[in-house]
Amino acid sequence: MIDARAAAESVFRKQSGRITATLIRISGSFDLAEEALQEAFAAALARWPATGVPDNPAAWITTAAHRKLIDALRRDQTRREKQDPLRYETPTSYHPDDPSDDYLLDASAMNYPDDRLRLIFTCCHPAINTEAQVALTLRTLGGLTAAEIARAFLVTEPTLAQRLVRAKTKISQARIPYEVPPLHALPERLRSVQAVIYLIFNEGYAATAGDTLIRKELSSEAIRLAKTLCALIPRDAETLGLLALMLLHDSRRDARINARGQLVTLEEQDRSLWDRAEMEQGFRLVETALRLQHAGPYQLQAAIAALHAHAKTFAETDWAEIAALYNQLKNISPSPVVALNHAVAIAMSEGPARGLQLIDELGATGDLTDYHLFHAARADLLRRLDRKTEAAGAYARALNLARNPIEQNYLRRRLAELTSA
């Protein structure tokens, strides 16, 4: 028999964003949609152990959430009169008073093609500040926990919770429409949407928490959303660059974890495991984007990823060109993390001593003190310089800051290698 809790958790991870987006379209309320979805999952956990997991658990959850939402809207008569939330309800033969579980609403019947795209553009409305835009979309569409989002922003969970509340309140009070904006209004909204999609991808590509490093469903969802954006705005160079970047990163996914569930660094990866078809898609998109001659951060990062992908071995990587691209990226989109990546590229092209000098200069600013990858990069350069004691200290610092168990185990192995040598 299928485990009920495992089935429910699988639906939540893979389908909660899709279902939530549809419920928000129906109700016009983020809070009501989230509450209905939570109640539906609670109902599933209560019933499935006794009745068995249905053939289509996602459809069961969608139907249950829809029923919960209709009940809530009926109880909230004043709100319904103000907003007439049911005007967007998908026509179906469903009767909300029918207690029978024999009828299961097909999830696809409630999901307009652009429901999730509508949700992203609503969350990314210019009336909402950038941090809240990203946080709200990650919470509602990506299904990330408050802890995961807070870590991505390097803020506390209470701070993140306040951002979410303010964003929802703003959407309600300003009557922000739940729609994909017309083409003439897209530019002001597009950059925030791209940032949201990339953060969703990154949480799937290198999860901040949980038992696995990779959450394929989030990466796949981000790629799907980017493809939708490209179809909507086919000549936007940065959207093409974003999709290329994600495809090139995703193409290496199967090589990043070995059969023992251990992290494998780029230097040690078996490149025969890289998805060449996905890489070729990425290459073509990079070329198309760069031909439009509006170079931006995503295109430059995609060009860097393409250089890694073109190298048949780690030793053949064109680190000098990668360093030059990171330098260009620093000029148009400066950040401590970009500066760190530039320093690593310099270390690989000009030697670890020069790279370490740049990293230590960056460390003196204090911007990356709590960023575990800063300490891991510094430790790696110290190891290459045979400064084992200092390297061990840096690895220990990185280990203390890392939250993902897969990354923690990798850092422990590195630390053990140094202390046993």
Side-chain angles (χ1 to χ4, degrees):
M1 179 180 291
I2 301 174
D3 180 78
R5 179 169 292 278
E9 289 177 352
S10 176
V11 172
F12 182 81
R13 282 298 187 189
K14 296 178 180 179
Q15 300 290 342
S16 62
R18 184 189 301 271
I19 299 170
T20 300
T22 299
L23 296 175
I24 292 173
R25 170 174 52 78
I26 294 171
S27 67
S29 168
F30 283 78
D31 288 335
L32 286 176
E34 290 180 357
E35 289 172 9
L37 185 62
Q38 290 170 5
E39 290 179 11
F41 276 105
L45 290 174
R47 296 199 58 176
W48 291 357
T51 63
V53 177
D55 292 338
N56 190 338
W60 195 103
I61 292 290
T62 303
T63 300
H66 187 224
R67 291 174 177 174
K68 300 291 184 183
L69 183 60
I70 299 301
D71 290 342
L73 290 169
R74 285 178 167 173
R75 290 193 301 267
D76 192 1
Q77 185 68 28
T78 302
R79 179 183 180 87
R80 189 175 68 179
E81 289 176 351
K82 280 185 176 181
Q83 299 184 1
D84 191 20
L86 296 182
R87 68 187 181 278
Y88 296 120
E89 185 175 354
T90 306
T92 70
S93 60
Y94 167 68
H95 192 285
D97 292 328
D98 181 4
S100 171
D101 283 329
D102 293 336
Y103 174 75
L104 289 177
L105 180 65
D106 183 352
S108 64
M110 286 183 61
N111 180 48
Y112 289 170
D114 285 331
D115 268 351
R116 284 168 290 182
L117 199 59
R118 289 187 186 111
L119 177 54
I120 285 186
F121 276 109
T122 301
C123 294
C124 297
H125 194 278
I128 306 170
N129 68 56
T130 302
E131 292 84 0
Q133 289 173 358
V134 177
L136 184 59
T137 307
L138 288 172
R139 181 72 186 95
T140 57
L141 188 80
L144 275 65
T145 66
E148 289 169 336
I149 303 169
R151 179 163 176 77
F153 287 134
L154 302 178
V155 298
T156 64
E157 286 190 52
T159 297
L160 188 281
Q162 290 174 0
R163 289 180 183 177
L164 291 171
V165 170
R166 284 197 297 268
K168 292 175 184 177
T169 301
K170 185 68 175 182
I171 288 172
S172 176
Q173 292 179 346
R175 297 183 178 275
I176 292 172
Y178 186 63
E179 65 183 11
V180 176
L183 287 177
H184 68 83
L186 277 175
E188 64 176 341
R189 305 272 291 278
L190 189 55
R191 300 307 171 235
S192 293
V193 171
Q194 291 165 344
V196 167
I197 291 175
Y198 194 42
L199 275 174
I200 292 174
F201 176 83
N202 279 333
E203 183 57 36
Y205 186 73
T208 56
D211 296 331
T212 62
L213 180 69
I214 300 168
R215 288 167 57 183
K216 181 180 177 180
E217 67 277 7
L218 282 180
S219 298
S220 297
E221 174 66 9
I223 290 172
R224 190 203 71 81
L225 287 168
K227 287 180 177 179
T228 302
L229 272 185
C230 286
L232 185 65
I233 320 167
R235 291 188 61 79
D236 183 78
E238 273 293 82
T239 302
L240 293 170
L242 172 62
L243 178 56
L245 174 62
M246 294 191 298
L247 287 170
L248 289 166
H249 281 322
D250 194 62
S251 69
R252 301 198 298 264
R253 183 183 62 232
D254 291 344
R256 297 178 62 230
I257 302 294
N258 64 22
R260 297 185 296 279
Q262 297 174 328
L263 173 66
V264 182
T265 64
L266 181 61
E267 183 175 2
E268 299 168 331
Q269 285 175 15
D270 178 355
R271 299 188 175 213
S272 69
L273 297 176
W274 291 2
D275 187 329
R276 292 293 163 183
E278 203 167 25
M279 280 185 179
E280 290 298 330
Q281 291 181 55
F283 295 153
R284 290 193 296 271
L285 285 165
V286 171
E287 293 172 0
T288 301
L290 292 177
R291 279 200 300 269
L292 294 173
Q293 297 184 344
H294 293 287
Y298 294 118
Q299 294 168 73
L300 291 174
Q301 291 177 77
I304 291 167
L307 286 171
H308 283 298
H310 277 299
K312 294 181 180 179
T313 66
F314 187 79
E316 295 178 43
T317 305
D318 189 346
W319 285 105
E321 181 63 20
I322 288 174
L325 287 170
Y326 270 123
N327 191 56
Q328 188 176 352
L329 185 59
K330 280 173 55 180
N331 291 332
I332 67 171
S333 184
S335 78
V337 173
V338 170
L340 174 62
N341 288 331
H342 176 250
V344 171
I346 290 293
M348 300 307 297
S349 60
E350 299 181 18
R354 175 57 179 151
L356 182 62
Q357 179 186 353
L358 293 175
I359 284 182
D360 284 343
E361 291 173 2
L362 181 59
T365 67
D367 292 333
L368 296 176
T369 300
D370 296 325
Y371 186 50
H372 74 283
L373 293 180
F374 166 78
H375 298 283
R378 186 170 182 273
D380 184 64
L381 295 184
L382 288 166
R383 177 182 63 83
R384 292 174 189 271
L385 291 168
D386 204 31
R387 293 163 60 175
K388 295 181 181 178
T389 301
E390 294 170 271
Y395 275 127
R397 177 64 173 153
L399 177 59
N400 185 57
L401 291 169
R403 293 292 175 266
N404 187 283
I406 305 298
E407 291 182 309
Q408 290 173 342
N409 288 337
Y410 169 79
L411 293 168
R412 286 192 187 97
R413 291 199 307 274
R414 282 297 198 194
L415 190 55
E417 289 169 3
L418 283 174
T419 55
S420 63

